[in-house]
Each structure stands twice: as C-alpha cells, then as structure tokens.
C-alpha cells in the first residue's frame, strides 16, 4: 500500500500534523511525551552515574541544577508525566472498550486537569 | 438569488514519475455547491488532463474520497461553504497512504484485497452487535427476523488515509479492514480471530481515533477496533480457566 516511500520517511509519517482532529493530536502528544520521557530516563541514569565519581562531583552537579534552564527542563518532565499519564488512563479505558464514544470529552478533561497541574507546579517551582 | 463567491482552488497535480505541484484556478462558485462540482468544472472548463474519480454523487460509491484543506472528505457531500470563505483558498489533494495513480486518484487495490480477506460484505444482516448501541434499531419487526441492509462501510478509504499508524506501518491491517472484520463476525471464522489478534491487527492501533472522526458513513472504526479488543481479551480470560484446542480459538 503506502510502500512507495522509504523506511526512514515512513518511520516519521505518524507525525503529520496536517488535517488532524483533537484525538489525533492526543495520539501525537502521547507519543512525543513517551519519547521525551524515555530520553529523560537515559539522561537521569547518566546523571546518577556522577555518584560514582564521589560526593564532590555530585554536589557540584547539584549546584548547576539551580539554573533556570534546568528548572525549565524539570518542568518539561513534570508536564510530560502529567500529559502522558492522564491521556494514558483514557487510552487504557478505551482499550478495554470503556467509554469509547466519549473518548474525545475524556481527552479534553484529561488535558485540562494536566494543564492546571502543570501551571500549579510551574508557580511552585519558579515563584516558590 | 443565488449567492456567488470567488475563490482560488489549489489542485494537487502529479502524473506518474513526475514531481507533484499545485495548480491554482480562480473560480466563481455557489457556496452551496459541493467540492466535487468544482473539481468537475475545473476539468470541463479549465484543464481536461485533471484526473479524479466519482460515480454516485451521493456518498454511496466511495469513489470521490480526497483531502479537502488537508482533511479527508467525500467531495460529493462536502459543501463549499463548510470548507472555505468567500475570497479564500481551497486545497484539493489525493488521499494519503495510497500510491497516487494520477492527480487526485490513488490505487486502493490493497484495501479492497484486505476487505475481501476479512470477508467484508456489501450487504449485511442487521445483527444487533454489529451496530453501535446508539444506532441500534428498537428490534426486528418480527421475532427472529434479520433484516438485510447495505453495509455501512462504502470502502472509501478515508479512514485509512487519516490513520497516523497506518502512515508509518503499511502492514497494519488498518481501520476499515478491522471494522470489516468486526462486521463480518469473528464467531463465524476462527482464522479471522487469529488475523486480528496480532501485532498488525487490533494491537497496532494507538487510539488516535482519526478513523472515526473522518468516516462519512457512521461505521465508527475506532469503536469497532475497541470492541474487537474486548472480544480478544474476553476470549483470553475464558481460555485461562477453560483451555481448549487451537481449532476452537475464536469460537
Ligand atoms: S470505515 Fe468509514 S471511512 Fe473507512 S472505508 Fe469504510 S466508510 Fe470509508
Ligand atoms: S461520488 Fe460516490 S461517494 Fe462521492
């Protein structure tokens, strides 16, 4: 069928934002946050590896995490966890045949809750 | 008095072996016309090399599927005023995920083969479970009487074009085919059960529900895929407590 394009092009075709519905965006957000969180996991393991270089190295690293850039990074991780987790609940429900005709409304609800949570976290992280 | 609009229509043009390009045509239109009327007029009055498909003009044959402003639509039931404003630009392009034969026509042969494979019938008995709860009739007029109806799915391919998973994974059976399997009935065919309970079957769907959003015929493939999953999970739980021979799988 759509075998004309090569493998690499095809591998990215799921991210085609043209003409998407709300739940289509839900799928893209879910996959992008999944990729982001996987990337973060690797980063996290690398950082933990600093522990092996002694307490000084780790303390120095911890100091560098106080920069605003780091905080933005941390907030992105929190945001990804909320969006992925809440949308994940909707996907699990629909996968068991529960509330499928209402999946769009559940998605809107999940995203609203997620955004409120992100804003609250953001305020606490940046303003205190 | 008939309303008159002036719009620009951008037609996707591509002949085999050539690079695609857009052809812009300025057109006077009645906003209550359907997009297929503009395509036909562009062919008749502007460029006879424009290739497109249609037959019934009333959403029954499924031939006129295309992307209107990037969204999958049946051009014969898409009013101009629903997709563009006076003075605006309308983009008409072929469906995604199928090879382009010429301009707006794609090769959907593989879809038809897969529909045959799962035993999709153009006419179906109105089995209750084959219909979404809200569309189910109150009940047959006579007890035990099945009434025959045209199958909802007109094999237009819109859902296959809109599915982002099918875009990246051509082996995925796809929403129309899985909906066809659901409608054909797993009970009748154990092999069908095996086909859909696989990495290229119901488990490949990632719940984008684009299929349901674009389907012009209330098939609701997204719902059907989830119904199939429910059946597969139910079957697995059942066999956990009551193992049976492979030949009985899906019964
Ligand atoms: S399921 Fe709907 S969108 Fe898909 S081929 Fe059938 S009628 Fe067209
Ligand atoms: S021309 Fe038959 S469905 Fe549009």
């Amino acid at each position: 069928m759509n075998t004309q394009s090569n493998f690499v092009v095809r591998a990215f075709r799921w991210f085609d934002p043209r003409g998407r519905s709300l739940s289509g965006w839900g799928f893209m957000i879910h996959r992008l946050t999944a990729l982001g969180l996987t990337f973060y996991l690797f980063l996290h393991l690398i950082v933990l590896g600093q522990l092996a270089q002694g307490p000084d190295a780790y303390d120095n690293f911890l100091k560098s995490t106080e920069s605003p850039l780091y905080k933005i990074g941390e907030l992105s991780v929190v945001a990804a966890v909320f969006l992925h987790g809440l949308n994940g609940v909707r996907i699990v429900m629909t996968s068991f045949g529960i509330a499928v005709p209402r999946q769009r409304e559940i998605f809107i609800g999940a995203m609203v809750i997620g955004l409120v949570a992100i804003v609250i976290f953001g305020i606490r992280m940046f303003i205190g | 008095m008939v309303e008159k609009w002036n719009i620009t229509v951008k037609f996707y043009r591509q002949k085999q072996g050539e690079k695609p390009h857009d052809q812009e045509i300025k057109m006077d239109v009645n906003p209550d016309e359907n997009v297929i009327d503009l395509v036909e007029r562009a062919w008749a009055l502007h460029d006879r090399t424009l290739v497109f498909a249609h037959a019934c003009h009333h959403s029954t044959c499924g031939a006129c599927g295309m992307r209107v402003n990037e969204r999958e639509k049946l051009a014969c039931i898409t009013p101009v005023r629903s997709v563009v404003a006076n003075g605006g630009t309308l983009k008409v392009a072929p469906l995604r995920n199928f090879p382009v034969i010429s301009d707006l026509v794609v090769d959907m042969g593989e879809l038809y083969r897969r529909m045959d494979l799962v035993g999709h019938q153009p006419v179906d008995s109105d089995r209750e479970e084959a219909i979404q709860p809200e569309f189910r009739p109150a009940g047959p007029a006579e007890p035990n009487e099945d009434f025959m109806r045209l199958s909802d799915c007109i094999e237009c391919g819109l859902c296959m074009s809109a599915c982002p998973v099918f875009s990246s994974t051509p082996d995925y059976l796809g929403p129309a085919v899985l909906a066809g399997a659901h409608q054909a009935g797993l009970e009748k065919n154990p092999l069908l059960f095996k086909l859909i309970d696989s990495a290229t079957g119901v488990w490949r769907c990632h719940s984008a529900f684009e299929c349901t959003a674009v389907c012009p015929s209330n098939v609701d493939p997204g719902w059907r895929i989830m119904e199939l999953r429910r059946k597969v999970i139910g079957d697995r739980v059942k066999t956990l407590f009551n193992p049976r021979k492979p030949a009985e799988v899906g019964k």
Side-chain angles (χ1 to χ4, degrees):
Chain A
M1 234 181 264
N2 52 351
T3 45
Q4 277 185 332
S5 44
N6 70 42
F7 176 77
V8 181
V9 174
R10 255 199 348 249
F12 289 98
R13 279 175 66 180
W14 61 269
F15 187 74
D16 177 357
R18 293 172 302 165
R20 290 296 176 214
S21 70
L22 200 62
S23 40
W25 280 101
F27 160 74
M28 281 192 274
I29 290 170
H30 203 66
R31 197 167 258 198
L32 287 173
T33 49
L35 290 170
L37 288 170
T38 309
F39 176 69
Y40 168 74
L41 187 69
F42 281 108
L43 218 62
H44 187 62
L45 291 175
I46 291 167
V47 166
L48 280 185
Q50 302 262 330
L51 274 175
Q53 290 166 27
D56 284 349
Y58 196 65
D59 284 349
N60 280 341
F61 167 75
L62 280 187
K63 263 196 205 109
S64 71
T65 62
E66 277 154 25
S67 77
L69 207 67
Y70 244 97
K71 287 204 167 160
I72 292 172
E74 278 176 345
L75 187 62
S76 314
V77 173
V78 170
V81 167
F82 273 117
L83 299 181
H84 193 82
L86 288 164
N87 194 24
V89 173
R90 158 184 164 264
I91 291 172
V92 169
M93 279 170 67
T94 53
S95 291
F96 283 96
I98 301 165
V100 179
R102 294 269 85 83
Q103 59 82 20
R104 201 173 166 274
E105 290 80 355
I106 297 171
F107 175 67
I108 294 171
M111 290 303 102
V112 169
I113 295 170
L115 289 177
V116 170
I118 293 164
V119 169
I120 292 171
F121 257 82
I123 291 171
R124 294 200 62 160
M125 281 169 83
F126 286 94
I127 302 171
Chain B
M1 203 183 79
V2 178
E3 218 178 324
K4 268 268 166 300
W5 284 8
N6 187 266
I7 62 168
T8 305
V9 188
K10 260 193 198 172
F11 291 93
Y12 176 103
R13 303 299 306 266
Q14 183 180 22
K15 300 297 177 196
Q16 281 205 339
E18 286 177 11
K19 280 211 156 72
H21 67 277
D22 284 335
Q23 179 184 18
E24 285 191 13
I25 301 178
K26 292 215 178 301
M27 301 182 83
D28 288 328
V29 302
N30 170 351
D32 293 318
E33 286 179 291
N34 288 309
V35 171
I36 196 74
D37 300 320
L38 311 192
V39 179
E40 287 179 333
R41 217 159 49 244
W43 169 82
L45 305 178
H46 296 274
D47 189 342
R48 289 270 170 148
T49 67
L50 177 66
V51 175
F52 62 102
H54 71 86
C56 70
H57 278 209
H58 58 249
S59 69
T60 302
C61 72
C64 69
M66 54 185 82
R67 274 182 305 143
V68 179
N69 287 345
E70 306 294 359
R71 197 72 179 135
E72 286 75 7
K73 303 264 187 200
L74 286 182
C76 68
I77 52 164
T78 303
V80 171
R81 82 161 73 242
S82 71
V83 283
V84 69
N86 191 6
T89 301
L90 186 68
K91 205 171 162 205
V92 182
L95 295 182
R96 298 178 250 216
N97 303 339
F98 296 104
V100 172
I101 295 174
S102 184
D103 299 333
L104 303 174
V105 176
V106 294
D107 178 0
M108 296 210 293
E110 184 63 25
L111 168 64
Y112 305 141
R113 268 189 290 282
R114 290 182 188 187
M115 294 303 269
D116 276 351
L117 183 72
V118 298
H120 178 251
Q121 298 295 326
V123 174
D124 190 38
S125 64
D126 211 347
R127 283 176 300 113
E128 211 192 341
E129 58 142 37
I131 308 166
Q132 269 224 55
E134 60 219 84
F135 298 118
R136 280 177 197 164
E142 300 290 329
N144 304 323
E145 186 194 325
D146 262 1
F147 32 93
M148 304 300 285
R149 62 202 287 274
L150 279 178
S151 159
D152 286 333
C153 180
I154 55 173
E155 302 190 2
C156 62
L158 299 197
C159 56
M160 304 290 278
S161 169
C163 176
V165 176
F166 182 55
S167 288
S168 285
T169 316
D171 288 344
Y172 170 43
L173 287 173
V177 182
L178 290 170
H182 178 261
Q183 196 178 10
L186 296 184
E187 308 72 19
K188 291 183 195 157
N189 187 350
L191 286 178
L192 203 52
F193 198 96
K194 280 201 171 153
L195 186 74
I196 61 114
D197 180 16
S198 66
T200 53
V202 290
W203 304 112
R204 178 65 67 175
C205 168
H206 287 284
S207 313
F209 292 105
E210 289 287 9
C211 50
T212 292
V214 299
C215 178
S217 204
N218 270 332
V219 175
D220 199 343
W223 170 76
R224 287 178 191 272
I225 293 169
M226 298 311 157
E227 280 294 298
L228 288 176
R229 280 188 181 175
R230 227 163 44 85
K231 280 178 195 242
V232 170
I233 293 168
D235 188 76
R236 285 194 186 167
V237 172
K238 228 164 57 191
T239 48
L240 209 63
F241 297 104
N242 183 19
R244 56 183 183 220
K245 294 176 205 110
E248 293 173 327
V249 170
K251 283 188 182 164

